[in-house]
Each structure stands twice: as C-alpha cells, then as structure tokens.
Amino acid sequence: MSQKPSIPKGTRDFGPEEMAKRNYIFNVIKSVYALYGFQQIETPAMETLHTLMGKYGEEGDQLLFKVLNSGNYLAKITDDELREKNALHLAPKLCEKGLRYDLTVPFARYVVMHRDEIQLPFKRYQIQPVWRADRPQKGRYREFYQCDADVVGSDSLLNEVELMQIVDTVFTRFGVRVQIKINNRKILSGMAEVMGAADKMVDITVAIDKLDKIGLENVNEELHNDGLSEDSISKLQPILALQGTNDEKLSAISDILKDSETGTKGVEETRFILDTLKKLNLKNEIQFDLTLARGLNYYTGAIFEVKALDTPMGSITGGGRYDNLTGIFGMPGLSGVGISFGADRIYDVLNTLNLYPKETATSTQLLFINFGEKETAYCLPVVAKARQNGIFTEMYPDKAKMKKQMSYANAKHIPYVALAGDNEIQAEKITLKNMGTGEQKLVSADELVAIIKK
Amino acid sequence: MSQKPSIPKGTRDFGPEEMAKRNYIFNVIKSVYALYGFQQIETPAMETLHTLMGKYGEEGDQLLFKVLNSGNYLAKITDDELREKNALHLAPKLCEKGLRYDLTVPFARYVVMHRDEIQLPFKRYQIQPVWRADRPQKGRYREFYQCDADVVGSDSLLNEVELMQIVDTVFTRFGVRVQIKINNRKILSGMAEVMGAADKMVDITVAIDKLDKIGLENVNEELHNDGLSEDSISKLQPILALQGTNDEKLSAISDILKDSETGTKGVEETRFILDTLKKLNLKNEIQFDLTLARGLNYYTGAIFEVKALDTPMGSITGGGRYDNLTGIFGMPGLSGVGISFGADRIYDVLNTLNLYPKETATSTQLLFINFGEKETAYCLPVVAKARQNGIFTEMYPDKAKMKKQMSYANAKHIPYVALAGDNEIQAEKITLKNMGTGEQKLVSADELVAIIKK
C-alpha cells in the first residue's frame, strides 16, 4: 500500500545544511552558557496535565497538545459524559499527559522534584523543543526549540549582570550587532503609582509596549479607553518623552519616582546593573528603555530584550527576573532570573546577514573515487589513515560513472577528491584534486593527510 | 494552589551529571559518524498517524502515543460512533498525529518527501528521542533516545564494511572491549531451504536466536513444536555445531549451502565483508555467528550485533541491510543499511566499567568567592578575563558564608577557587586555591589564567 507522505502542519524536517547551521547556533549558545557555569538538564517531552494546565492562561490550556491515554482510554468515561459531547470536559478524562509548552514550567517542576539533589543557587540551561497548537504562519511553528538559561535561589543582581554579559558574548561570537534594552518591572509599577493608577498597571504597560508601532497619540487614546484619567495620562507624558543617556534617564526617572518606594527600588537596581556593566566593556550597547514592558504578569524585577541592529526582526532574545516560580508546586520563596535565545529568529538573522562560518557548509572533507574492487582495496587503508588523522572522509561506495561521483562531491561541497587507478597503484601514490582550484597532485598517503590538515 | 509534582511514568529527568555523561556518549558517536561522512538530520516529534500506523505490527500500533486533535476534536464524530464506545475505532477519529516510535520510519518518510533535494547515496545520522507506550520496567522507558546512521541508495558491501569500522572506532574511543557478531539473512534463508523448510524460516530463526539462553535441546523441541520434521531438525544440527575461525565456518557453511543460490550469495557477501575488514586492523574481534538472527521480517542481507565483553548486558548496538525501506511511501527499489547505538545501555556499561573521562564530571573550573560589593567589583574584570581565556568561571552571586560557598564549589566539583579580600586588593593579586591539593598561591590575573589553562 503506497501513500504520499506528509508531516503535521506547523512542523519541519531539518536537512543536513539546516542542521549544520542550527547546530552552530546551539553550540555557540551552549559554549557561552558553560563558560558562565550553567549546566545542562533535560526534561521529558511529555508532562502530566496537572503540571501543565493553568500555567499559561486559558489560551495556553487550549494550545497544549494533549496525549491520548494508552489502552482503553474510554473505560472511565460514563455514557452520560460521552453523550454530552463536551470537548472541554472530556479532554482531561481522555488525556493525562501533554507535550511540553515551554521550558520554564518543566524547570520549576524539576527544581521542586529534585530539591534535595540541587545545589542552590542552581544555574541550569536547557535546549529542547516545545509544542504549541498555535495556528501556523510564517515564522510561527507548532514545534520549535527554546534555549533557556536560569539561575534560581539567588536575589543578587550580579546574576542580571552576567546574563547581559552572556547576551553580549553570544552575539559577538555570531558577529551580529545588537541593541540590548533593559527596564525594570518595579519602575513600571512606580510609574503606575505616580500616575495614581496602580491598579491599571497591566493596561498601562500593554499600551506603552505599543509606542514603537502605533505612536504616542494612539497610546494615549488607548489609555483613555482603558479608563485612565486625563490627569494620569498627562503625568505619563514626561516619562515617555525622556531622552538622553542611560544616566540622564536614570536621574530623571529617579526624581519622578522619588515618592514611590517600589519605583525607587527599581531605579536603584537598574543603576547597579548598568554601573557594573560599564566597567566590563561590553561590545554592544545597553539601553535603558522605559517603554520596554514584556510579559508583565510573570516578571517582578529587571526585564530585557535584544534586537538585531542590521536587519529588521522582532526581539531575538529576552528575559527577566521573576519571584516565586516554584510556588505553584509547593516550594515558595525562590527567586530566579532567566534568559531565552530565540533560535529560529537568530537562524533567520544569520541567514540574512550571511554570517555562518564557511565550515558550516562543509561536512565531508575528502572523497575517494570508486574505480572498482581492486582500486578500492588499494584505497581503503589510505581512507582509514585519513580518518585516523581526523579528516572527515568518504569512499564512494559504488563503482559509478566518474561524472556521478564528481557531482556527489560537488553537491556535498567536498573540497578534496582522491583518485587511484593503475598508475597510482604502481607508484604507490594517490592523485589528490583540490575541487576549489582544480589543481591535481600526485602524493603519498602522508602528504595527502598533511595537505588536507593544513 | 500547590501540588506535589511528578512526571509521567516511564519518563526521566536528566540532571547535570547525567547530561554530561549522555552528551559525552552522543558526542563520541556523532564525531565518528561525521568522520565517515554521515550528515545529521532531524524530523518532527509528531508524525501523522498515516505515516506511523501499520509500520510496527499490531502491537506497535497500540504502543503508539496518539495526540488528541486540537479544537473541537469531537465535531466529526457521530453520536452513534460515540455510543459504540469502541476505543480502537474512535482513536483514528480523535487523533491525526502520533509521537515518533522509531527513527527508521520517519527517515523513510523523509527520504521520499525530500527525494529531489537528496544526493544518493544518502548517508544520514539522527539522534532523537522516540516514544513507546510500553509497560515501563527496569531499563525500559517510554521516552528514550535512538542514535541511528543509515546509507540508502547503495547496494555496495563497502557500506557494511564501514559500519563495522564505525562500531570498532566508537567502542575503542569509549574504551569498551566488544565482540561484534555478524551473520546474513540470506544464509539463514539458505539454511531453511537446505532443511526443506523454506516456509518455516521465521520459526527456525526465532528458535535459533534462543540457543544462548535455552540450550540446544530446547531449541530442537521448539522446532519440533513448530511443526518441523525430524529430518529437517537433524539437518540443522551440524550447522549449529559449527566451530572454529570465521574462515573455517565460512568454508563449512559454504559447502552445506552449495545448492542454495540465496545461501551461497549470503556466504559470498559475508566473506567479502570479513576479508575486507581483515586488512583494516580493527581493534575488536568480529565473529561470524550462524545463530545470530535479529528482527527478521525487516532485514534482507548482512545483520550484526555488538556486546560488551567485560560486563553482562544485552546487545548494545545492532543493525543490518534492508531492501525497499521507502516502498511503503511509494518509492520502491532503494536498498539501505543501517546501525543503531543503544545509548541507554552504553550509559550503563560506561558507568559499570567507570569509563567516563574525568572531565565529564567537571563543568565550572574556577569559582570566585563573594566577600561583598567592593570585593566583587575588584574581581569582576578578572572573572571576565578568565572567561575570555576560555576558562569556565563563576562568581558566587551572593555574599554568603564562606562555608556555604566552599560547599557549593565541592558539590559542583570545581577544581579552583579564587579569593580576594583587602590584602589581595592592595597587592593587586588574587589568592588561588587548588581544591584537590589544598595549596594556596597569591597570583596575578595573568598567572591565574596560566595556571588553570595548564
């Protein structure tokens, strides 16, 4: 029975070239995480729905992929329940497990379950796929990788400083110039207080977050529609208009928020982070941005976001400080701060700016042409020698036409091809062809290794 | 709302030390695959049930994890169908997708879908988790990694030779002495022919496969129960009794199978593989084993299996030649040969034999003790310098008690600790403590880097 195969919508296959590029990205991020003392963990693709449900809001609950119970999954469902035909009510009876929706909730679950094995502060990183039943569209997938690092169990702002250094190091290694924006949830809180609208904090920040896209006038209109008084809105104007260096902005906002304890705390935190970073000579600019908001229900302190300077693309990295991540699992009082690199967007940025190292496109370095049984028998020990010397080497397995073998070498971007016919066998040599220059040379096995290893 | 968290049965969390060991295993396997010109691909965790169903037998279909359709998954189900309450019939209506069950079927699907981009012969490797709703038990999990490499689109026996070299190289790098057993499906076929029981081939090989465990007498009884004649069974006895070197066994079986075309082909193939390998000086022994059977419905040529010599453990690697893998997806005529390393069992073997490199347990190499704000400000540029020199470095983020910070260093197996108080600041030096020897030294930042990089 033959069938035309397909894959579920919103999912992707990654072929060799895409994998090489993705591995390059993951390896850079991993190596920097390791440099800063973060250790890798992995959690299962499936979590219990107890762990997942109610953690991502109502929309999130609906976007969870749920896994049908094994065996007779209908056994515990009554006829009445079936007759009701209520998809929402039946789902938790049909399914006990769901696919990981992000890396943060499984991490919180991990910390609580392994509290006795973990050394606090715990610096972990995790690079795994997550699944969301979102409507697929350009750049949005139902399966995608997240690359998170978090420190839990430490309130110190040195953790925030380190995460900024990590961002700077990672993008410097990628060769991507970025702008790092930083703000603080406590400053936003203070702003709402000063505006006399502490209860409207979410509305205020949601509106402010759109400043870039819709302009000041529309932001003010939205605030008005949210029920903020003209007085409140007018108090916000000088804050949004703040210009100048980070220090100038800090000094101005410090003055504006001087009567808000929370706001003042946020200013002090931001000042410490920025002052400390000044002495560490980052390659990229860090900008204190009072209009940066991010997912507010989650974060409680510093928040940050990264954008590429040389190509338009949304946020490619973000993160912040949160309190009480593990509280939902019965372990209150743990503060944490985390960062997440957006691998898919970084992939697109590196493609657009053509920043992948040349080696990324190369896998095999040397191909031996197959002229038949006698010739391959002569070549195989040389093939083995090349590999012993760390050269990625192939012997074309079949005695195919020369043209076919050479086009195989071209398709795989193999830079060297080795040939051995009667003449070479008699001379106990190999003809080595440089596929870039076309140059051919009769060499010994040792010379061949030396040329390619050069 | 607090809850005691758990993970689905049969799944595992991997903490930092387990991850380091697993990464070591995967990296060794990956690096050897790359050395032989295999390229990595990845496929989605979810495949359509069209792709998965009917590929793993009836049991396999039941062990597939099925993913509930998003949205109103009940919409297309009639009341009558619901009332029937037949879990088997309803499942394909509730679910269109399932979790990957192995890497072979997704690979076949990949080859067919991407036939126009792929260069044949296609050498791919793939290291990803698979999911099976098996009853969990010791050493059997519902989520586990497979590490497969396959060549499709080439009949050449040089591929089999290479896979044997790969096995030899991988286990040599691990430091595990192994025995590689090889046989050929065509030889087993020939044996059944010679016994006058070509139609009983599956029964014969299933019985033979148990020789190690249940002994010759019980094997013969099983064959008898399977309906084989005494004459057939007696013809098998000299084959099972074959002893000696590979060459002696080859010569004997060649004689026994001389009237079977298929059997003779199998002997020739095995002879070519073993003769070619003789010249390539493998470190581990390859044994021609006529009782090796493996999953017979699948393989059509060479089959092989690897066992550790120094610790009892089932097969830790296996593979073989198959024909027509992609035929089920409408692309007939592609032959392939593949190998699969059993990562979980290799993990256990390396643990038992204590063969992990010492570095596997180390992540952070250097910890700076935190004595307070002034001291950390002095240390941070030195921390940055250490990292610029590739040293995995941490600054303890909080001003905690010395004892707590030192026990953090011990728990993470950090070999060097750096301390700087007033004296060090005045002298513009750092005290570096070697945690192994206890030795302390007052050094400059450059000396610190030099000592740790040594």
Side-chain angles (χ1 to χ4, degrees), chain B residues 183-231:
Chain B
N183 197 6
N184 196 298
R185 211 277 196 186
K186 297 189 180 87
I187 291 177
L188 294 169
S189 228
M191 277 161 54
E193 268 181 53
V194 165
M195 289 163 69
D199 58 322
K200 297 265 185 207
M201 155 127 185
V202 173
D203 293 328
I204 295 169
T205 47
V206 166
I208 289 178
D209 203 28
K210 298 181 189 161
L211 192 57
D212 260 5
K213 282 183 202 146
I214 63 175
L216 183 60
E217 224 167 295
N218 291 314
V219 167
N220 287 338
E221 196 182 316
E222 189 166 320
L223 290 170
H224 180 79
N225 294 340
D226 288 335
L228 272 99
S229 70
E230 290 313 310
D231 184 47

Side-chain angles (χ1 to χ4, degrees), chain A residues 218-236:
Chain A
N218 291 315
V219 167
N220 287 336
E221 195 182 317
E222 190 167 319
L223 290 171
H224 180 78
N225 294 340
D226 288 334
L228 272 99
S229 71
E230 290 314 309
D231 183 50
S232 290
I233 296 176
S234 76
K235 278 185 178 145
L236 181 64

Side-chain angles (χ1 to χ4, degrees), chain A residues 157 183-194 249-273 288 290 300-301:
Chain A
L157 294 169
N183 197 7
N184 195 299
R185 211 281 196 182
K186 297 188 181 89
I187 291 178
L188 294 170
S189 226
M191 277 162 54
E193 268 180 55
V194 165
K249 280 192 258 182
L250 272 170
S251 146
I253 192 74
S254 168
D255 202 44
I256 294 169
L257 299 181
K258 63 179 182 299
D259 294 331
S260 160
E261 197 182 325
T262 307
T264 301
K265 184 98 201 315
V267 174
E268 276 168 18
E269 288 182 9
T270 309
R271 200 191 302 274
F272 177 86
I273 296 168
F288 175 41
L290 284 156
T300 54

Side-chain angles (χ1 to χ4, degrees), chain B residues 428-445:
Chain B
E428 291 183 30
K429 301 254 170 158
I430 303 277
T431 294
L432 184 66
K433 177 169 181 170
N434 181 322
M435 296 291 278
T437 63
E439 191 195 355
Q440 294 199 176
K441 234 179 169 172
L442 193 69
V443 296
S444 70

Side-chain angles (χ1 to χ4, degrees), chain A residues 416-440:
Chain A
Y416 288 97
V417 163
L419 310 100
D422 284 339
N423 292 342
E424 283 85 356
I425 293 176
Q426 208 150 18
E428 290 183 28
K429 302 252 171 162
I430 303 277
T431 294
L432 184 67
K433 178 169 180 169
N434 180 323
M435 295 293 277
T437 64
E439 189 195 355
Q440 295 199 174

